Amino acid sequence: MMGHAGMAATAVRYLRAVGSPTASVRPVEPLPPPELRCVRDDERPPVDPAEFRRVLGHFASGVTVIATVDATGPTGFACQSFASLSLDPPLVAFMVARTSTTWPRIARAGVFCVNVLGAHQGELCRAFAVSGSRRPDKFAGVRYEPSPVTGSPRLADVPAWIDCAVHAVHTGGDHLVVVGRVRDLGTDESAARSGPLLFHRGSFGEFTAHP
């Protein structure tokens, strides 16, 4: 297994091989199998995973669907770990498990659209939270249109969307940290009236503003 530095270098070469969003897609070799363990045998073992999830679950987060389209069609996955990263240049970031079956397709496409979900889209989120190996066509019955710059799927009735190109990929334990360069973005004020979809302690919730 290669170390983190080797994985990062391989990821950079992998993404450069794809080229810009407007370039023709060239076939590339898949990334090597990831080294999922981030603590050596001679180091202190990590905290109990169940306890880690329980404690971190107290942090409420918004919910997004990260979507792209490649030669085989549209694909995407539900993602809580999304955040704005930089204003100048405009960058965003999301985290994805190295075992994800959707990420290799996003990496090959080199582009993606972040769809910020509203409080009324809990069922849509559940549909995209299913593993791609269990539900290959997550877009069955889902309304969307191409985003303005990259052509990635922009889902109908989302409060906000951010159209991006893959800017950098960094290793983070059993996840990858993907940085996206924002190419375009927008909102739907009518969809935003319902408020954002939130995830807290394993359940969906809604945000209510207080004066």
Side-chain angles (χ1 to χ4, degrees):
M1 294 289 185
M2 65 172 62
H4 287 172
M7 280 292 297
T10 301
V12 170
R13 291 195 300 270
Y14 179 78
L15 292 169
R16 284 175 178 169
V18 175
S20 66
T22 56
S24 58
V25 177
R26 300 195 314 241
V28 293
E29 292 298 321
L31 287 172
E35 181 181 2
L36 294 180
R37 184 172 177 81
C38 56
V39 178
R40 295 195 306 268
D41 291 336
D42 60 344
E43 294 179 318
R44 177 182 61 82
V47 297
D48 177 68
E51 179 67 359
F52 184 88
R53 291 191 184 96
R54 186 189 72 82
V55 173
L56 271 295
H58 284 74
F59 180 73
S61 68
V63 187
T64 68
V65 168
I66 310 294
T68 194
V69 63
D70 62 10
T72 61
T75 188
F77 70 100
C79 179
Q80 300 165 246
S81 53
F82 165 78
S84 59
L85 179 62
S86 169
L87 184 61
D88 185 16
L91 302 174
V92 296
F94 70 86
M95 277 65 81
V96 59
R98 293 193 188 182
T99 54
S100 168
T101 58
T102 303
W103 162 245
R105 295 179 63 181
I106 297 174
R108 288 189 179 93
V111 295
F112 60 91
C113 185
V114 181
N115 295 273
V116 179
L117 300 188
H120 59 291
Q121 294 177 307
E123 288 304 315
L124 181 65
C125 178
R126 291 185 182 94
F128 278 93
V130 177
S131 169
S133 59
R134 292 172 53 198
R135 185 179 178 182
D137 186 8
K138 297 181 184 180
F139 274 83
V142 175
R143 292 187 298 122
Y144 70 95
E145 61 184 14
S147 57
V149 177
T150 72
S152 301
R154 185 175 71 181
L155 304 185
D157 301 324
V158 293
W161 53 272
I162 305 100
D163 199 11
C164 305
V166 175
H167 180 74
V169 181
H170 307 283
T171 56
D174 57 8
H175 277 58
L176 295 171
V177 182
V178 182
V179 179
R181 181 71 176 258
V182 177
R183 300 302 187 192
D184 200 359
L185 72 173
T187 60
D188 181 337
E189 294 305 320
S190 62
R193 292 193 186 101
S194 66
L197 181 65
L198 299 179
F199 193 75
H200 179 248
R201 300 182 68 180
S203 301
F204 292 125
E206 300 178 14
F207 173 79
T208 301
H210 295 282

